[in-house]
Amino acid sequence: MSTGHVADTAPRCPQPPDWLAHGLVTLEDVSRLQVVSGKGGTGKTTVAAALALALATAGKRTLLVEVEGRQGIAQLFETEALPYEERKIAVAPGGGEVYALAIDPELALLDYLQMFYKLGGAGRALKKLGAIDFATTIAPGLRDVLLTGKACEAVRRKDRSGRFVYDYVVMDAPPTGRVTRFLNVNDEVAGLAKIGPIHNQAQAVMRVLKSPETAVHLVTLLEEMPVQETADGIAELRAAKLPVGRVVVNMVRPEVLDADGLELVRTVTRSSIARSLSAAGLGGARRGGHAERLVDPLLQQAEEYAERHALEQEQRAVLGQLGLPLHELPLLAEGMDLAGLYQLATELREQQIA
């Protein structure tokens, strides 16, 4: 399968950055924003990347945004570290394009200072002195406004012909335990500014994030802790009136035994297994024979599978009670690489999540 992997530079954002202007982000101009979160270790970055590819499959243009500074997107697409600019990193089947952006809060704050305070060279001097990093550290609410604001600007940005530059924006958001606070920037900045440009920008961002055009998807595994954190995260998002999208169960193991096979595991006898193995030419069925020695390891594996299957079914039942569309992505036996990413994108398309 050809991935059409490319790496070049997209047109840069106009300077000064439009997304910082008061009231510029409006619901009328909002395209679709897909936010992906999940407990650490569930593969949320992988799912976000696959979703971006899936959305671009039909000739669309998608922007994949990273906000945590881990360069996980660059690793998945096997490309160099992403700078603070939008770059094309892949071509999807059908000619669609995936661009990526790693948002640097320090550089975003420099944009902000330039827009509202015309600092120019003074802003660069502040960065050298460490003042920018200090500001974003002591005021985490401001940092979140800058990160989410940049993503929301990309959602509504248009080209000279009046068309959206990106059909979709996919954000690889912080983990489930922090995503509601991260997205609920209006509350975050309440203690920083009651009026003024920071307050206005937060309000504009929230109009996008709480609109029907935004969907927050949560990634989980069929394990108790990730499922519980997913349920808690959905409750927090709903309480904050943030739009919850879908639940994606990642790394699902293939079904080895059907219902009849699982029942057989519970009722089969050692002697019957030994005789079956012997009849298949795997040695003698008598005690000490080769076929007989295979019985215990086989039964142990079957019992472990039956136990895991029962636990996974329990977690599926819990997820089913959340009242959200549920999707499953397979565990790739060969591990995750670029080809595997395209495979997951195909799975998402087939399940109509994209």
Side-chain angles (χ1 to χ4, degrees):
M1 175 175 56
S2 174
T3 60
H5 177 233
V6 296
D8 61 13
T9 304
R12 299 188 181 185
C13 302
Q15 297 294 331
D18 290 343
W19 63 280
L20 295 170
H22 167 45
L24 189 60
V25 181
T26 63
L27 283 179
E28 290 76 16
D29 290 336
V30 171
S31 162
R32 194 173 183 190
L33 173 62
Q34 308 266 349
V35 180
V36 180
S37 182
K39 179 177 170 57
T42 60
K44 70 176 179 65
T45 299
T46 298
V47 172
L51 179 59
L53 274 172
L55 290 167
T57 299
K60 303 293 185 180
R61 177 179 285 189
T62 303
L63 176 65
L64 180 56
V65 177
E66 183 176 88
V67 298
E68 293 186 282
R70 297 184 296 107
Q71 290 294 338
I73 292 172
Q75 295 174 31
L76 283 169
F77 284 94
E78 301 174 7
T79 186
E80 61 186 13
L82 298 174
Y84 181 54
E85 63 183 24
E86 293 154 25
R87 286 189 172 182
K88 187 164 68 175
I89 59 171
V91 173
E97 299 174 326
V98 177
Y99 288 73
L101 168 67
I103 303 178
D104 184 323
E106 288 191 2
L107 295 177
L109 182 55
L110 283 176
D111 284 346
Y112 181 93
L113 294 174
Q114 173 61 25
M115 178 66 185
F116 287 110
Y117 301 106
K118 309 297 183 185
L119 289 186
R124 291 189 292 274
L126 286 173
K127 185 180 189 307
K128 290 181 180 180
L129 292 172
I132 304 299
D133 182 57
F134 177 73
T136 54
T137 299
I138 64 171
L142 174 59
R143 181 180 184 277
D144 291 347
V145 170
L146 297 170
L147 295 174
T148 55
K150 184 64 176 176
C152 288
E153 177 275 327
V155 167
R156 53 80 52 208
R157 190 192 317 155
K158 293 182 178 180
D159 60 21
R160 292 179 180 177
S161 66
R163 299 182 59 182
F164 288 117
V165 172
Y166 296 107
D167 297 287
Y168 299 96
V169 174
V170 179
M171 181 194 295
D172 178 21
T176 313
R178 295 193 289 113
V179 70
T180 300
R181 183 176 179 182
F182 171 77
L183 295 175
N184 206 22
V185 293
N186 186 52
D187 289 344
E188 283 295 290
V189 301
L192 294 175
K194 302 295 184 182
I195 57 173
I198 296 178
H199 174 81
N200 294 334
Q201 174 62 18
Q203 293 285 344
V205 170
M206 290 311 301
R207 286 197 295 271
V208 174
L209 294 178
K210 291 192 175 184
S211 77
E213 297 301 318
T214 296
V216 185
H217 309 303
L218 296 183
V219 182
T220 187
L221 305 177
L222 286 176
E223 299 174 5
E224 185 175 0
M225 288 186 64
V227 168
Q228 183 59 54
E229 187 163 318
T230 298
D232 294 342
I234 290 171
E236 291 177 1
L237 288 166
R238 285 172 170 165
K241 294 182 172 55
L242 289 163
V244 185
R246 301 163 184 258
V247 174
V248 179
V249 184
N250 196 23
M251 294 185 275
V252 177
R253 297 180 179 89
E255 186 175 273
V256 178
L257 299 175
D258 57 16
D260 292 339
L262 289 168
E263 180 62 26
L264 185 61
V265 169
R266 290 187 283 268
T267 60
V268 72
T269 63
R270 289 176 49 83
S271 59
S272 64
I273 296 176
R275 288 194 298 270
S276 297
L277 293 173
S278 180
L282 295 178
R286 294 182 179 180
R287 191 173 188 82
H290 183 67
E292 195 274 342
R293 293 198 302 272
L294 293 174
V295 173
D296 284 341
L298 285 173
L299 281 176
Q300 181 178 353
Q301 288 186 24
E303 290 170 358
E304 289 174 353
Y305 174 81
E307 181 179 357
R308 187 179 73 239
H309 183 271
L311 293 174
E312 289 176 346
Q313 289 298 95
E314 290 177 4
Q315 298 311 312
R316 277 194 179 94
V318 173
L319 293 172
Q321 296 172 359
L322 298 176
L324 294 173
L326 190 63
H327 303 268
E328 296 191 1
L329 292 176
L331 175 66
L332 301 181
E334 299 80 9
M336 180 51 59
D337 56 12
L338 193 57
L341 199 59
Y342 276 78
Q343 180 180 339
L344 295 183
T346 300
E347 290 277 351
L348 291 173
R349 289 285 296 179
E350 291 177 349
Q351 295 182 38
Q352 299 182 342
I353 190 175

